[in-house]
Amino acid sequence: MNNIRLSSMLIPALCASLLASGVALADGNGPPSYVEGNRAPKGFARPPFHTKPRASTATIAGLTPALTRHAYGFDTIANQGDGMIVAIVDAYDDPKIEADLGVFSNAFSLPPCTSSNGCFTKVYARGARPKPNAGWSLEISLDVEWVHAIAPKAKIVLVEAASASFNDLMAAVDVAVKRGASVVSMSFGGNEFSSETGFDSHFNVPGVTFVASSGDSGTGTEYPAASPYVVSVGGTTLSSDTAGNYIGEAAWSGSGGGVSSVEAEPAGQTAWPIPVAGKRGVPDVSYDANPSSGFAVYDSVTYQGQAGWFQVGGTSAGAPQWAALVAIANSLRTAAGKTSLSGAYDTLYAVGKTAYGSDFHDVTTGSNGNCGSVCSAAGGYDYVTGLGSPIAPALVQALVARP
């Protein structure tokens, strides 16, 4: 009897302890749901998003599509990704993503993007529906909703990997390419590893651009952002006024970046005065990532006890929006009789070299650690914000003008 009573007291206490320590349990027999800020084990990736704490998620908070499009200049571009397919690769299943995208679209007067009208498709990379995962569901909502916010006429193919292992995620990347994507958004990453170059071939595909978040733990490099065939997106803190007018940006302290310990320097970087020659510098470009200046995201899957409207940042917010920019450029290239961009990781450096001040916002203040020049934003290229954030109208036209 005493043993039974002791167990009945210990079990609730254990559950309370798990919740207090930040461990979140997934539905059914799936893996623990991802909680922001946690590192991924070896061989696995995690989504580098961060939420701004809110007492209630009942109302919209964060940057809206209209404000963001105005700040970076997308609202002056008539093309909205017409005819392009943007693939989004994430792990696990978000069972409510299509409905949540509908709520987001209605809230901001965006065109409907549904499976019935052919705008939205969800694919299970291994054929079977993956287990749900609340943390990854929030990442999926961020990615899908903000591709649609920036390129509302592009079609979206969400490819759900069976797990967050690199083997499963790379299988999902291959499915994304087979589905006809001209750009693939990858808001995930894990520590670099010695055999990562064996995965690089998944991204060396003519006519397809791969975009990845650089990480959210400050200085340090992650994969796949470190691949020389991937456009790596770092983070900034965006300052804009209430009308969305751009004021400036500083490096976000969580922006992943640095010098790869594994990958060689891509050709595009060799033309720039990058401090450490011969090795891949990360990131290539940047975008708003500070959760304090983060983006409005609707997610009805309960995450950390809340569901509804979240304000979300992290470099995982920039990857889908840069992917949308590439989709817009590819749409205009198609209209001009050109092929979709190939080697965009090098092309961005080439166009920046020609007209840097008009194509990119040069981010020159802020840091992501205490390691001197490697951790500090500076004029031109740096290991915190890359070339900088987009001046969308000029940069898109420069990408369209490329051969």
Side-chain angles (χ1 to χ4, degrees), residues 4-281:
I4 294 174
R5 287 177 179 170
L6 181 59
S7 297
S8 67
M9 291 186 290
L10 285 175
I11 290 173
L14 176 60
C15 291
S17 175
L18 286 171
L19 291 172
S21 64
V23 176
L25 302 181
D27 295 334
N29 297 317
S33 289
Y34 175 77
V35 177
E36 61 195 87
N38 289 344
R39 303 293 295 181
K42 184 177 181 180
F44 288 77
R46 54 89 170 101
F49 69 82
H50 285 265
T51 59
K52 182 179 180 180
R54 302 187 67 205
S56 172
T57 53
T59 58
I60 296 170
L63 289 173
T64 65
L67 291 174
T68 305
R69 288 171 58 82
H70 186 60
Y72 285 117
F74 289 102
D75 59 349
T76 67
I77 305 173
N79 187 285
Q80 297 184 338
D82 310 52
M84 293 296 105
I85 296 175
V86 179
I88 296 166
V89 173
D90 280 308
Y92 303 110
D93 179 46
D94 180 348
K96 299 181 179 180
I97 181 55
E98 186 169 352
D100 289 351
L101 175 58
V103 173
F104 182 86
S105 298
N106 288 336
F108 299 118
S109 300
L110 296 170
C113 187
T114 66
S115 54
S116 61
N117 69 12
C119 174
F120 177 77
T121 304
K122 183 164 76 168
V123 179
Y124 306 139
R126 297 289 193 187
R129 177 180 175 177
K131 295 287 186 180
N133 186 292
W136 280 91
S137 288
L138 181 53
E139 178 62 54
I140 290 170
S141 293
L142 168 63
D143 295 347
V144 170
E145 290 167 11
W146 278 89
V147 164
H148 189 51
I150 301 301
K153 291 187 179 178
K155 293 183 178 180
I156 297 172
V157 175
L158 170 63
V159 184
E160 294 183 335
S163 78
S165 74
F166 278 111
N167 285 330
D168 281 337
L169 287 164
M170 294 305 108
V173 167
D174 292 343
V175 170
V177 173
K178 291 176 182 177
R179 286 282 177 153
S182 71
V183 59
V184 180
S185 176
M186 306 178 294
S187 288
F188 58 81
N191 292 335
E192 283 200 89
F193 47 98
S194 59
S195 61
E196 69 186 42
T197 55
F199 286 123
D200 283 344
S201 60
H202 292 274
F203 312 122
N204 189 11
V205 180
V208 184
T209 298
F210 299 87
V211 185
S213 50
S214 71
D216 65 345
S217 302
T219 186
T221 53
E222 294 191 355
Y223 194 83
S227 171
Y229 302 108
V230 168
V231 176
S232 172
V233 182
T236 69
T237 299
L238 172 67
S239 295
S240 58
D241 64 21
T242 55
N245 294 307
Y246 183 92
I247 296 174
E249 285 171 280
W252 177 50
S253 61
S255 178
V259 183
S260 172
S261 60
V262 180
E263 303 280 4
E265 184 178 26
Q269 290 188 337
T270 61
W272 285 72
I274 293 177
V276 181
K279 287 293 186 179
R280 166 74 155 119

